[in-house]
Amino acid sequence: MNMEKNQEMLSLNHQILAQLRLRSSNTPIRHNQSITILNNSSENFPEWYAAIESAQHYVLIEMYIFADNDFGKQMRDLLIRKQQQGVQIVLVYDWFGCIVPVLKRFFKPLQKAGAMLVAYNPIGFASGVGLLSRNHRKSFVIDGHTAFVSGLCISSAWQGNAHKNVAEWRDIGVKIQGDAVRDVMAAFADTLSSQNQKLPESIVLPAFSGDEVSGSLRAGVVATTPSDNNMMRLDLNAIALANQRLWITDAYFMPTRLYTQALINAAHAGVDVRILVPKTSDIRWIARVSRTRYRELLQAGVRVFEWNGTMIHAKAAIADGVWARVGSTNLNFSSWHFNRELDVIIEDQNTVAQLCHHFLKDLDNATEIVLNDIEAAAVRESRQARFRQLKAMNRQQAKAVARQMLELSQAFKGNWHSGSNIVDSREANAYLSLGLTLLGFAVLLAFAPYLLVVPIIVLLGVGGISTLIYALRQKRKIKSKQKDKSS
Ligand SMILES: O=P(O)(O)OC[C@H](O)CO
């Protein structure tokens, strides 16, 4: 292919990419951004701390968990000190994610120092079923010039525990400088407005500069709310976009049927689909549910890896070495449909190459889950048949299939550096605990039904009352508008 043809292809790809991004998530791309990938608490926490320490005017924070532990206290005390120096702190914490610190009045000294504190969706008569929506974002904005977006919360849990020989959690965040910072701020202002609040008058959204920060890097901020489900559509479109590679890391993998089938279809089309999830999760039942999804993915040729370390909490995806997303969205129903989430998409070969490098390093510390010999042979056989078909249709596609077939045959030999595990035993244990849990619910329903029914009654009651209040307020507004018109 000559240079001209290459350019033509590239600009066509950009056009398709832009169209997919805008139609699925309404996310504009910002050019010439500076994005730094930050790994784990050891890289993220010091960067957050130093950036806040250097703040001159304001710090905006949206945080799902702000824990009352060593790192939480360190951050709270830093925020108090900055507020006392005249730097305006605005913190939106999730009421449910921070329930323990709220009950312990952990944020009181910060509020007393003058910081603006907003609890997202606290329980109350007006909360209703909206209580299911949580602010799952993890972001910081410093003085309008720097932002951090990640999967990490403010908690020592991410640091592990050296005394108990617990290593730090695996997680990923980014530091952003450039016009995309304004998008993080706009997302923050929108969260405030969802809680009937607004930014203090002294804080204004900076104008887009269009200035070059660091060359050609393109980035966009995907701000998901329960009413737009932006990331869900973008995640599905990213699967459609991947031509050769789709590498996914997820902490709480419980995808919908829609998403699982899209992964299966991609694998059938010859895309090298790999999923990395925790082996030992801090929320064990989710890991068990994840394991019941493995078999159909493996049968389609998707490769599944379980990370061997303490906990992998990252939420990231890479498509074809040119597109990636990093942020707070887990691949499950809550993140896609109920929560406020914040993710960054990156369209830049160098930055995506770094993420690919980290992903492959993570695989070195993971166990591949494989089918047993008989099933693996059947999958191989059907892949070969598909490969023959595709080869006749599309040479480029066929190359991708060939590459994946080679890798799969290696995987089935079980000679991966990280080791492998047959799916059967994990799946059996997962179904065993799910079965026991269902039985447990049945026993509860039989002998202590109120334990299950009371929360549902409360939720429905609160939901009903708050919806009525909303309707009455609307009616009152309409009436007073009509009165104004007629007078
Ligand atoms: O919901 P996530 O992904 O922020 O994870 C929070 C975990 O519950 C931390 O233990």
PDB file of all heavy atoms in Angstrom, residues 39-42 65 151-153 155-161 166-172 251-252 280-283 307 309-315:
ATOM      1  N   ASN A  39       0.554   4.020  37.636  1.00  0.00           N
ATOM      2  CA  ASN A  39       0.219   2.675  38.087  1.00  0.00           C
ATOM      3  C   ASN A  39       0.121   2.602  39.608  1.00  0.00           C
ATOM      4  O   ASN A  39       0.994   3.104  40.321  1.00  0.00           O
ATOM      5  CB  ASN A  39       1.280   1.680  37.608  1.00  0.00           C
ATOM      6  CG  ASN A  39       1.177   1.473  36.104  1.00  0.00           C
ATOM      7  OD1 ASN A  39       0.153   1.003  35.613  1.00  0.00           O
ATOM      8  ND2 ASN A  39       2.213   1.859  35.392  1.00  0.00           N
ATOM      9  N   ASN A  40      -0.921   1.960  40.079  1.00  0.00           N
ATOM     10  CA  ASN A  40      -1.052   1.596  41.497  1.00  0.00           C
ATOM     11  C   ASN A  40      -1.006   2.806  42.434  1.00  0.00           C
ATOM     12  O   ASN A  40      -0.811   3.942  42.009  1.00  0.00           O
ATOM     13  CB  ASN A  40       0.049   0.593  41.902  1.00  0.00           C
ATOM     14  CG  ASN A  40       0.050  -0.612  40.981  1.00  0.00           C
ATOM     15  OD1 ASN A  40      -0.859  -0.792  40.191  1.00  0.00           O
ATOM     16  ND2 ASN A  40       1.055  -1.437  41.089  1.00  0.00           N
ATOM     17  N   SER A  41      -1.142   2.516  43.724  1.00  0.00           N
ATOM     18  CA  SER A  41      -1.119   3.613  44.704  1.00  0.00           C
ATOM     19  C   SER A  41       0.269   4.248  44.768  1.00  0.00           C
ATOM     20  O   SER A  41       0.398   5.446  45.004  1.00  0.00           O
ATOM     21  CB  SER A  41      -1.525   3.092  46.083  1.00  0.00           C
ATOM     22  OG  SER A  41      -0.663   2.061  46.483  1.00  0.00           O
ATOM     23  N   SER A  42       1.304   3.452  44.493  1.00  0.00           N
ATOM     24  CA  SER A  42       2.671   3.993  44.642  1.00  0.00           C
ATOM     25  C   SER A  42       2.943   5.115  43.643  1.00  0.00           C
ATOM     26  O   SER A  42       3.793   5.977  43.905  1.00  0.00           O
ATOM     27  CB  SER A  42       3.714   2.884  44.514  1.00  0.00           C
ATOM     28  OG  SER A  42       3.446   2.145  43.362  1.00  0.00           O
ATOM     29  N   ILE A  65     -15.060   6.330  47.387  1.00  0.00           N
ATOM     30  CA  ILE A  65     -14.679   5.983  48.769  1.00  0.00           C
ATOM     31  C   ILE A  65     -13.599   6.949  49.238  1.00  0.00           C
ATOM     32  O   ILE A  65     -12.568   7.118  48.566  1.00  0.00           O
ATOM     33  CB  ILE A  65     -14.127   4.534  48.856  1.00  0.00           C
ATOM     34  CG1 ILE A  65     -15.219   3.522  48.486  1.00  0.00           C
ATOM     35  CG2 ILE A  65     -13.589   4.225  50.257  1.00  0.00           C
ATOM     36  CD1 ILE A  65     -14.739   2.077  48.403  1.00  0.00           C
ATOM     37  N   GLY A 151      -9.123   4.528  38.706  1.00  0.00           N
ATOM     38  CA  GLY A 151      -9.969   3.527  39.368  1.00  0.00           C
ATOM     39  C   GLY A 151      -9.698   3.497  40.854  1.00  0.00           C
ATOM     40  O   GLY A 151     -10.283   2.688  41.582  1.00  0.00           O
ATOM     41  N   LEU A 152      -8.776   4.341  41.319  1.00  0.00           N
ATOM     42  CA  LEU A 152      -8.358   4.298  42.728  1.00  0.00           C
ATOM     43  C   LEU A 152      -9.171   5.260  43.595  1.00  0.00           C
ATOM     44  O   LEU A 152      -9.427   6.396  43.200  1.00  0.00           O
ATOM     45  CB  LEU A 152      -6.886   4.696  42.894  1.00  0.00           C
ATOM     46  CG  LEU A 152      -5.830   3.784  42.292  1.00  0.00           C
ATOM     47  CD1 LEU A 152      -5.540   4.217  40.863  1.00  0.00           C
ATOM     48  CD2 LEU A 152      -4.551   3.816  43.117  1.00  0.00           C
ATOM     49  N   CYS A 153      -9.524   4.785  44.790  1.00  0.00           N
ATOM     50  CA  CYS A 153     -10.193   5.660  45.752  1.00  0.00           C
ATOM     51  C   CYS A 153      -9.180   6.170  46.777  1.00  0.00           C
ATOM     52  O   CYS A 153      -8.022   5.735  46.795  1.00  0.00           O
ATOM     53  CB  CYS A 153     -11.285   4.886  46.489  1.00  0.00           C
ATOM     54  SG  CYS A 153     -12.611   4.341  45.410  1.00  0.00           S
ATOM     55  N   SER A 155      -7.984   5.630  49.903  1.00  0.00           N
ATOM     56  CA  SER A 155      -8.020   4.629  50.976  1.00  0.00           C
ATOM     57  C   SER A 155      -6.704   3.863  51.013  1.00  0.00           C
ATOM     58  O   SER A 155      -6.141   3.525  49.953  1.00  0.00           O
ATOM     59  CB  SER A 155      -9.162   3.644  50.747  1.00  0.00           C
ATOM     60  OG  SER A 155      -9.033   2.552  51.628  1.00  0.00           O
ATOM     61  N   SER A 156      -6.256   3.552  52.226  1.00  0.00           N
ATOM     62  CA  SER A 156      -5.016   2.773  52.387  1.00  0.00           C
ATOM     63  C   SER A 156      -5.158   1.364  51.840  1.00  0.00           C
ATOM     64  O   SER A 156      -4.153   0.676  51.654  1.00  0.00           O
ATOM     65  CB  SER A 156      -4.647   2.656  53.865  1.00  0.00           C
ATOM     66  OG  SER A 156      -4.621   3.911  54.469  1.00  0.00           O
ATOM     67  N   ALA A 157      -6.397   0.904  51.605  1.00  0.00           N
ATOM     68  CA  ALA A 157      -6.597  -0.464  51.097  1.00  0.00           C
ATOM     69  C   ALA A 157      -5.753  -0.687  49.842  1.00  0.00           C
ATOM     70  O   ALA A 157      -5.201  -1.772  49.637  1.00  0.00           O
ATOM     71  CB  ALA A 157      -8.073  -0.688  50.787  1.00  0.00           C
ATOM     72  N   TRP A 158      -5.609   0.377  49.012  1.00  0.00           N
ATOM     73  CA  TRP A 158      -4.872   0.243  47.746  1.00  0.00           C
ATOM     74  C   TRP A 158      -3.365   0.034  47.993  1.00  0.00           C
ATOM     75  O   TRP A 158      -2.649  -0.407  47.114  1.00  0.00           O
ATOM     76  CB  TRP A 158      -5.100   1.482  46.871  1.00  0.00           C
ATOM     77  CG  TRP A 158      -6.281   1.325  45.962  1.00  0.00           C
ATOM     78  CD1 TRP A 158      -6.249   1.072  44.618  1.00  0.00           C
ATOM     79  CD2 TRP A 158      -7.668   1.395  46.313  1.00  0.00           C
ATOM     80  NE1 TRP A 158      -7.524   0.975  44.124  1.00  0.00           N
ATOM     81  CE2 TRP A 158      -8.417   1.168  45.123  1.00  0.00           C
ATOM     82  CE3 TRP A 158      -8.362   1.618  47.495  1.00  0.00           C
ATOM     83  CZ2 TRP A 158      -9.809   1.163  45.087  1.00  0.00           C
ATOM     84  CZ3 TRP A 158      -9.759   1.614  47.470  1.00  0.00           C
ATOM     85  CH2 TRP A 158     -10.463   1.392  46.289  1.00  0.00           C
ATOM     86  N   GLN A 159      -2.906   0.385  49.215  1.00  0.00           N
ATOM     87  CA  GLN A 159      -1.463   0.293  49.498  1.00  0.00           C
ATOM     88  C   GLN A 159      -1.052  -1.080  50.017  1.00  0.00           C
ATOM     89  O   GLN A 159       0.125  -1.333  50.235  1.00  0.00           O
ATOM     90  CB  GLN A 159      -1.074   1.365  50.521  1.00  0.00           C
ATOM     91  CG  GLN A 159      -1.251   2.776  49.970  1.00  0.00           C
ATOM     92  CD  GLN A 159      -1.088   3.838  51.034  1.00  0.00           C
ATOM     93  OE1 GLN A 159      -1.760   3.807  52.073  1.00  0.00           O
ATOM     94  NE2 GLN A 159      -0.199   4.779  50.793  1.00  0.00           N
ATOM     95  N   GLY A 160      -2.025  -1.953  50.247  1.00  0.00           N
ATOM     96  CA  GLY A 160      -1.704  -3.256  50.833  1.00  0.00           C
ATOM     97  C   GLY A 160      -1.335  -3.089  52.300  1.00  0.00           C
ATOM     98  O   GLY A 160      -1.674  -2.074  52.930  1.00  0.00           O
ATOM     99  N   ASN A 161      -0.638  -4.076  52.839  1.00  0.00           N
ATOM    100  CA  ASN A 161      -0.239  -3.981  54.243  1.00  0.00           C
ATOM    101  C   ASN A 161       1.110  -4.680  54.429  1.00  0.00           C
ATOM    102  O   ASN A 161       1.190  -5.910  54.431  1.00  0.00           O
ATOM    103  CB  ASN A 161      -1.326  -4.649  55.107  1.00  0.00           C
ATOM    104  CG  ASN A 161      -1.078  -4.432  56.585  1.00  0.00           C
ATOM    105  OD1 ASN A 161       0.079  -4.301  57.013  1.00  0.00           O
ATOM    106  ND2 ASN A 161      -2.143  -4.390  57.353  1.00  0.00           N
ATOM    107  N   VAL A 166       0.938  -8.069  52.716  1.00  0.00           N
ATOM    108  CA  VAL A 166      -0.065  -7.915  51.652  1.00  0.00           C
ATOM    109  C   VAL A 166       0.441  -6.842  50.687  1.00  0.00           C
ATOM    110  O   VAL A 166       0.630  -5.687  51.077  1.00  0.00           O
ATOM    111  CB  VAL A 166      -1.440  -7.491  52.240  1.00  0.00           C
ATOM    112  CG1 VAL A 166      -2.461  -7.287  51.120  1.00  0.00           C
ATOM    113  CG2 VAL A 166      -1.937  -8.515  53.247  1.00  0.00           C
ATOM    114  N   ALA A 167       0.650  -7.255  49.423  1.00  0.00           N
ATOM    115  CA  ALA A 167       1.193  -6.307  48.431  1.00  0.00           C
ATOM    116  C   ALA A 167       0.121  -5.290  48.017  1.00  0.00           C
ATOM    117  O   ALA A 167      -1.077  -5.525  48.216  1.00  0.00           O
ATOM    118  CB  ALA A 167       1.650  -7.083  47.208  1.00  0.00           C
ATOM    119  N   GLU A 168       0.563  -4.180  47.432  1.00  0.00           N
ATOM    120  CA  GLU A 168      -0.404  -3.156  47.015  1.00  0.00           C
ATOM    121  C   GLU A 168      -1.308  -3.681  45.905  1.00  0.00           C
ATOM    122  O   GLU A 168      -0.951  -4.625  45.199  1.00  0.00           O
ATOM    123  CB  GLU A 168       0.309  -1.868  46.577  1.00  0.00           C
ATOM    124  CG  GLU A 168       1.089  -1.970  45.289  1.00  0.00           C
ATOM    125  CD  GLU A 168       1.623  -0.625  44.797  1.00  0.00           C
ATOM    126  OE1 GLU A 168       1.180   0.430  45.251  1.00  0.00           O
ATOM    127  OE2 GLU A 168       2.507  -0.646  43.928  1.00  0.00           O
ATOM    128  N   TRP A 169      -2.482  -3.070  45.736  1.00  0.00           N
ATOM    129  CA  TRP A 169      -3.421  -3.462  44.692  1.00  0.00           C
ATOM    130  C   TRP A 169      -2.898  -2.977  43.342  1.00  0.00           C
ATOM    131  O   TRP A 169      -2.181  -1.988  43.254  1.00  0.00           O
ATOM    132  CB  TRP A 169      -4.801  -2.845  44.917  1.00  0.00           C
ATOM    133  CG  TRP A 169      -5.541  -3.389  46.088  1.00  0.00           C
ATOM    134  CD1 TRP A 169      -5.054  -4.218  47.065  1.00  0.00           C
ATOM    135  CD2 TRP A 169      -6.917  -3.155  46.414  1.00  0.00           C
ATOM    136  NE1 TRP A 169      -6.040  -4.515  47.970  1.00  0.00           N
ATOM    137  CE2 TRP A 169      -7.198  -3.871  47.599  1.00  0.00           C
ATOM    138  CE3 TRP A 169      -7.938  -2.421  45.820  1.00  0.00           C
ATOM    139  CZ2 TRP A 169      -8.456  -3.860  48.201  1.00  0.00           C
ATOM    140  CZ3 TRP A 169      -9.189  -2.405  46.416  1.00  0.00           C
ATOM    141  CH2 TRP A 169      -9.451  -3.129  47.588  1.00  0.00           C
ATOM    142  N   ARG A 170      -3.320  -3.698  42.311  1.00  0.00           N
ATOM    143  CA  ARG A 170      -3.002  -3.271  40.955  1.00  0.00           C
ATOM    144  C   ARG A 170      -4.137  -2.359  40.485  1.00  0.00           C
ATOM    145  O   ARG A 170      -5.316  -2.711  40.565  1.00  0.00           O
ATOM    146  CB  ARG A 170      -2.915  -4.518  40.056  1.00  0.00           C
ATOM    147  CG  ARG A 170      -2.678  -4.231  38.603  1.00  0.00           C
ATOM    148  CD  ARG A 170      -1.214  -3.908  38.336  1.00  0.00           C
ATOM    149  NE  ARG A 170      -1.038  -3.489  36.947  1.00  0.00           N
ATOM    150  CZ  ARG A 170      -1.075  -2.218  36.542  1.00  0.00           C
ATOM    151  NH1 ARG A 170      -1.268  -1.243  37.402  1.00  0.00           N
ATOM    152  NH2 ARG A 170      -0.885  -1.915  35.271  1.00  0.00           N
ATOM    153  N   ASP A 171      -3.778  -1.173  40.032  1.00  0.00           N
ATOM    154  CA  ASP A 171      -4.808  -0.256  39.544  1.00  0.00           C
ATOM    155  C   ASP A 171      -4.167   0.737  38.572  1.00  0.00           C
ATOM    156  O   ASP A 171      -2.936   0.845  38.504  1.00  0.00           O
ATOM    157  CB  ASP A 171      -5.491   0.479  40.710  1.00  0.00           C
ATOM    158  CG  ASP A 171      -6.975   0.720  40.433  1.00  0.00           C
ATOM    159  OD1 ASP A 171      -7.330   0.879  39.262  1.00  0.00           O
ATOM    160  OD2 ASP A 171      -7.767   0.749  41.389  1.00  0.00           O
ATOM    161  N   ILE A 172      -4.992   1.445  37.819  1.00  0.00           N
ATOM    162  CA  ILE A 172      -4.454   2.373  36.815  1.00  0.00           C
ATOM    163  C   ILE A 172      -5.189   3.717  36.881  1.00  0.00           C
ATOM    164  O   ILE A 172      -6.412   3.754  37.056  1.00  0.00           O
ATOM    165  CB  ILE A 172      -4.616   1.808  35.380  1.00  0.00           C
ATOM    166  CG1 ILE A 172      -3.986   0.415  35.272  1.00  0.00           C
ATOM    167  CG2 ILE A 172      -3.963   2.730  34.351  1.00  0.00           C
ATOM    168  CD1 ILE A 172      -4.161  -0.229  33.913  1.00  0.00           C
ATOM    169  N   ALA A 251     -12.151  -5.247  37.252  1.00  0.00           N
ATOM    170  CA  ALA A 251     -12.120  -5.670  38.660  1.00  0.00           C
ATOM    171  C   ALA A 251     -13.350  -6.481  39.037  1.00  0.00           C
ATOM    172  O   ALA A 251     -13.263  -7.451  39.788  1.00  0.00           O
ATOM    173  CB  ALA A 251     -12.033  -4.432  39.558  1.00  0.00           C
ATOM    174  N   TYR A 252     -14.506  -6.080  38.517  1.00  0.00           N
ATOM    175  CA  TYR A 252     -15.765  -6.725  38.930  1.00  0.00           C
ATOM    176  C   TYR A 252     -16.545  -7.101  37.660  1.00  0.00           C
ATOM    177  O   TYR A 252     -17.476  -6.413  37.262  1.00  0.00           O
ATOM    178  CB  TYR A 252     -16.558  -5.783  39.841  1.00  0.00           C
ATOM    179  CG  TYR A 252     -15.759  -5.336  41.057  1.00  0.00           C
ATOM    180  CD1 TYR A 252     -15.377  -4.010  41.238  1.00  0.00           C
ATOM    181  CD2 TYR A 252     -15.363  -6.263  42.026  1.00  0.00           C
ATOM    182  CE1 TYR A 252     -14.623  -3.616  42.342  1.00  0.00           C
ATOM    183  CE2 TYR A 252     -14.613  -5.876  43.132  1.00  0.00           C
ATOM    184  CZ  TYR A 252     -14.242  -4.551  43.274  1.00  0.00           C
ATOM    185  OH  TYR A 252     -13.502  -4.167  44.361  1.00  0.00           O
ATOM    186  N   THR A 280      -8.250 -13.385  43.458  1.00  0.00           N
ATOM    187  CA  THR A 280      -8.840 -13.186  44.786  1.00  0.00           C
ATOM    188  C   THR A 280      -9.363 -11.754  44.841  1.00  0.00           C
ATOM    189  O   THR A 280      -8.591 -10.808  44.811  1.00  0.00           O
ATOM    190  CB  THR A 280      -7.791 -13.371  45.899  1.00  0.00           C
ATOM    191  OG1 THR A 280      -6.620 -12.673  45.497  1.00  0.00           O
ATOM    192  CG2 THR A 280      -7.473 -14.819  46.149  1.00  0.00           C
ATOM    193  N   SER A 281     -10.672 -11.638  44.891  1.00  0.00           N
ATOM    194  CA  SER A 281     -11.270 -10.308  44.877  1.00  0.00           C
ATOM    195  C   SER A 281     -11.623  -9.902  46.304  1.00  0.00           C
ATOM    196  O   SER A 281     -11.905 -10.755  47.145  1.00  0.00           O
ATOM    197  CB  SER A 281     -12.543 -10.345  44.026  1.00  0.00           C
ATOM    198  OG  SER A 281     -13.222  -9.125  44.110  1.00  0.00           O
ATOM    199  N   ASP A 282     -11.622  -8.566  46.540  1.00  0.00           N
ATOM    200  CA  ASP A 282     -12.061  -8.104  47.867  1.00  0.00           C
ATOM    201  C   ASP A 282     -13.574  -8.304  48.012  1.00  0.00           C
ATOM    202  O   ASP A 282     -14.086  -8.336  49.117  1.00  0.00           O
ATOM    203  CB  ASP A 282     -11.668  -6.634  48.099  1.00  0.00           C
ATOM    204  CG  ASP A 282     -12.360  -5.688  47.132  1.00  0.00           C
ATOM    205  OD1 ASP A 282     -12.521  -6.051  45.948  1.00  0.00           O
ATOM    206  OD2 ASP A 282     -12.755  -4.598  47.554  1.00  0.00           O
ATOM    207  N   ILE A 283     -14.277  -8.450  46.868  1.00  0.00           N
ATOM    208  CA  ILE A 283     -15.715  -8.781  46.939  1.00  0.00           C
ATOM    209  C   ILE A 283     -15.852 -10.166  46.306  1.00  0.00           C
ATOM    210  O   ILE A 283     -15.981 -10.307  45.076  1.00  0.00           O
ATOM    211  CB  ILE A 283     -16.577  -7.736  46.197  1.00  0.00           C
ATOM    212  CG1 ILE A 283     -16.222  -6.334  46.720  1.00  0.00           C
ATOM    213  CG2 ILE A 283     -18.065  -8.012  46.397  1.00  0.00           C
ATOM    214  CD1 ILE A 283     -16.993  -5.205  46.067  1.00  0.00           C
ATOM    215  N   TRP A 307      -5.600 -12.700  37.691  1.00  0.00           N
ATOM    216  CA  TRP A 307      -4.382 -12.086  38.240  1.00  0.00           C
ATOM    217  C   TRP A 307      -4.043 -12.734  39.578  1.00  0.00           C
ATOM    218  O   TRP A 307      -4.919 -12.911  40.441  1.00  0.00           O
ATOM    219  CB  TRP A 307      -4.613 -10.580  38.422  1.00  0.00           C
ATOM    220  CG  TRP A 307      -3.344  -9.805  38.521  1.00  0.00           C
ATOM    221  CD1 TRP A 307      -2.413  -9.639  37.539  1.00  0.00           C
ATOM    222  CD2 TRP A 307      -2.883  -9.073  39.653  1.00  0.00           C
ATOM    223  NE1 TRP A 307      -1.402  -8.840  37.991  1.00  0.00           N
ATOM    224  CE2 TRP A 307      -1.657  -8.478  39.289  1.00  0.00           C
ATOM    225  CE3 TRP A 307      -3.381  -8.857  40.934  1.00  0.00           C
ATOM    226  CZ2 TRP A 307      -0.922  -7.693  40.157  1.00  0.00           C
ATOM    227  CZ3 TRP A 307      -2.642  -8.065  41.798  1.00  0.00           C
ATOM    228  CH2 TRP A 307      -1.433  -7.500  41.417  1.00  0.00           C
ATOM    229  N   GLY A 309      -1.991 -11.640  42.010  1.00  0.00           N
ATOM    230  CA  GLY A 309      -1.625 -10.763  43.139  1.00  0.00           C
ATOM    231  C   GLY A 309      -2.786 -10.515  44.090  1.00  0.00           C
ATOM    232  O   GLY A 309      -3.845 -11.155  44.000  1.00  0.00           O
ATOM    233  N   THR A 310      -2.596  -9.560  45.004  1.00  0.00           N
ATOM    234  CA  THR A 310      -3.589  -9.277  46.053  1.00  0.00           C
ATOM    235  C   THR A 310      -4.969  -8.992  45.453  1.00  0.00           C
ATOM    236  O   THR A 310      -5.942  -9.669  45.768  1.00  0.00           O
ATOM    237  CB  THR A 310      -3.174  -8.006  46.839  1.00  0.00           C
ATOM    238  OG1 THR A 310      -1.772  -8.017  47.003  1.00  0.00           O
ATOM    239  CG2 THR A 310      -3.881  -7.916  48.159  1.00  0.00           C
ATOM    240  N   MET A 311      -5.052  -7.944  44.625  1.00  0.00           N
ATOM    241  CA  MET A 311      -6.338  -7.569  44.025  1.00  0.00           C
ATOM    242  C   MET A 311      -6.053  -6.702  42.807  1.00  0.00           C
ATOM    243  O   MET A 311      -5.300  -5.731  42.900  1.00  0.00           O
ATOM    244  CB  MET A 311      -7.180  -6.781  45.054  1.00  0.00           C
ATOM    245  CG  MET A 311      -8.404  -6.078  44.486  1.00  0.00           C
ATOM    246  SD  MET A 311      -9.621  -7.268  43.867  1.00  0.00           S
ATOM    247  CE  MET A 311     -10.799  -6.213  43.064  1.00  0.00           C
ATOM    248  N   ILE A 312      -6.629  -7.054  41.677  1.00  0.00           N
ATOM    249  CA  ILE A 312      -6.506  -6.166  40.517  1.00  0.00           C
ATOM    250  C   ILE A 312      -7.814  -5.385  40.437  1.00  0.00           C
ATOM    251  O   ILE A 312      -8.891  -5.950  40.344  1.00  0.00           O
ATOM    252  CB  ILE A 312      -6.167  -6.919  39.209  1.00  0.00           C
ATOM    253  CG1 ILE A 312      -5.801  -5.938  38.103  1.00  0.00           C
ATOM    254  CG2 ILE A 312      -7.249  -7.880  38.762  1.00  0.00           C
ATOM    255  CD1 ILE A 312      -4.938  -6.528  37.003  1.00  0.00           C
ATOM    256  N   HIS A 313      -7.705  -4.054  40.556  1.00  0.00           N
ATOM    257  CA  HIS A 313      -8.878  -3.202  40.680  1.00  0.00           C
ATOM    258  C   HIS A 313      -9.007  -2.285  39.458  1.00  0.00           C
ATOM    259  O   HIS A 313      -9.919  -1.459  39.384  1.00  0.00           O
ATOM    260  CB  HIS A 313      -8.746  -2.379  41.977  1.00  0.00           C
ATOM    261  CG  HIS A 313      -9.975  -1.649  42.361  1.00  0.00           C
ATOM    262  ND1 HIS A 313     -10.185  -0.328  42.020  1.00  0.00           N
ATOM    263  CD2 HIS A 313     -11.076  -2.044  43.036  1.00  0.00           C
ATOM    264  CE1 HIS A 313     -11.371   0.060  42.502  1.00  0.00           C
ATOM    265  NE2 HIS A 313     -11.929  -0.967  43.119  1.00  0.00           N
ATOM    266  N   ALA A 314      -8.111  -2.474  38.487  1.00  0.00           N
ATOM    267  CA  ALA A 314      -8.098  -1.578  37.317  1.00  0.00           C
ATOM    268  C   ALA A 314      -9.298  -1.817  36.421  1.00  0.00           C
ATOM    269  O   ALA A 314      -9.870  -2.910  36.405  1.00  0.00           O
ATOM    270  CB  ALA A 314      -6.816  -1.812  36.534  1.00  0.00           C
ATOM    271  N   LYS A 315      -9.676  -0.760  35.709  1.00  0.00           N
ATOM    272  CA  LYS A 315     -10.753  -0.846  34.726  1.00  0.00           C
ATOM    273  C   LYS A 315     -10.184  -0.220  33.455  1.00  0.00           C
ATOM    274  O   LYS A 315     -10.079   1.009  33.351  1.00  0.00           O
ATOM    275  CB  LYS A 315     -11.984  -0.046  35.184  1.00  0.00           C
ATOM    276  CG  LYS A 315     -12.548  -0.443  36.556  1.00  0.00           C
ATOM    277  CD  LYS A 315     -12.186   0.576  37.608  1.00  0.00           C
ATOM    278  CE  LYS A 315     -12.811   0.385  38.972  1.00  0.00           C
ATOM    279  NZ  LYS A 315     -12.853  -0.906  39.565  1.00  0.00           N
TER     280      LYS A 315
END
